[in-house]
Amino acid sequence: DKLRACAHTTADAPRNLSSASTPPCESCTAARIRKAPHPGSLDTPAPEPGKLHVDIKEFVLSVYGHRYAVFAIDEYSRYVFIEIIKLKSEIVDAIKRIKAAFVAVVATPVDSDGRPLARPRVRWVHSDREGGLMSHAFKEFRADEAIHHSVSPPHDHDLNPIAERIIGVISEASTAIRHHSDAPAIYWPYIVAYATDWHNAMVSGTGSSTADANISPFQRLTLRPP
């Protein structure tokens, strides 16, 4: 703040000094050390919720034996669902719980005359070739629920970009929170869940989506403020 003020309080400081960016805090800097961009472009998604981009991330063993977090990002609203599991084999049950959470919170849209339209449902899951999502159990679940499944090419996680990017954002925030609070790593389920809630409640970019970028993912999905 003092550095930026020099443009107004001294005679020889350049004017563009007033717009100098503030250096990030130590915790944020540490969290961004491994940040890497995912280049490319995406098609414009359908203008309604219901397509989930799914990925799983491994953490250290937590205080209650949990090891993985299953993330599901709604392509249109960019709302993030999260389920904490102990074993990768639990991913199908995690997707079922995420679908139930989607049904519980998604709003019914209305037309210009105020008449209710069809309520969005989970109709499509996109993922990489995670074993649990290629299993017979998941195929049976998709058949029962009429859910389409698409996968990115093998051995290239960068081609599941929406999930990778948002997981990176939440992981970065979680690392900064843990570093700043000096919390033990074994409490990551609470920290990641908090960072996810924070993401869902904040105004954020929508990428290729046509959703309103001036409101939060929570409001895009539920049609009410967080």
Side-chain angles (χ1 to χ4, degrees):
D1 291 342
K2 291 179 179 179
L3 188 65
R4 287 197 295 266
C6 287
H8 308 291
T9 58
T10 68
D12 59 348
R15 291 300 173 189
N16 60 4
L17 192 61
S18 64
S19 60
S21 60
T22 304
C25 67
E26 180 184 354
S27 299
C28 296
T29 302
R32 293 171 182 164
I33 286 175
R34 295 189 179 128
K35 183 177 180 180
H38 297 297
S41 59
L42 296 172
D43 295 332
T44 301
E48 66 172 329
K51 181 177 180 180
L52 301 181
H53 291 248
V54 174
D55 205 354
I56 185 170
K57 181 174 176 63
E58 182 176 5
F59 293 87
V60 299
L61 196 65
S62 81
V63 64
Y64 293 119
H66 296 98
R67 187 119 206 184
Y68 304 93
V70 179
F71 292 87
I73 299 93
D74 177 64
E75 184 179 81
Y76 173 71
S77 66
R78 294 304 201 262
Y79 184 96
V80 181
F81 297 89
I82 184 172
E83 280 289 327
I84 309 300
I85 58 177
K86 295 181 179 180
L87 303 171
K88 280 191 173 184
S89 58
E90 299 173 13
I91 190 171
V92 177
D93 288 337
I95 297 297
K96 292 178 181 179
R97 292 192 294 270
I98 287 171
K99 176 184 176 292
F102 179 96
V103 172
V105 300
V106 70
T108 301
V110 296
D111 62 18
S112 57
D113 296 323
R115 292 188 294 264
L117 302 173
R119 195 158 188 250
R121 67 178 186 87
V122 176
R123 64 185 187 281
W124 190 336
V125 170
H126 179 78
S127 69
D128 58 17
R129 295 174 182 267
E130 172 61 43
L133 299 178
M134 305 300 290
S135 66
H136 290 294
F138 189 59
K139 289 180 180 178
E140 291 176 359
F141 166 68
R142 291 192 292 108
D144 292 340
E145 300 294 332
I147 297 175
H148 176 65
H149 183 213
S150 59
V151 296
S152 57
H155 314 303
D156 194 343
H157 296 287
D158 287 353
L159 293 179
N160 191 15
I162 291 178
E164 290 289 332
R165 172 58 186 151
I166 293 186
I167 290 174
V169 169
I170 291 175
S171 296
E172 180 182 296
S174 301
T175 301
I177 292 166
R178 187 185 72 80
H179 187 276
H180 184 71
S181 63
D182 200 26
I186 57 175
Y187 291 114
W188 68 260
Y190 303 102
I191 298 171
V192 173
Y194 173 73
T196 301
D197 286 341
W198 190 4
H199 167 84
N200 286 335
M202 292 180 65
V203 174
S204 59
T206 58
S208 58
S209 174
T210 57
D212 187 352
N214 296 310
I215 59 177
S216 66
F218 182 93
Q219 189 166 352
R220 295 174 204 144
L221 185 71
T222 68
L223 301 184
R224 64 181 189 272

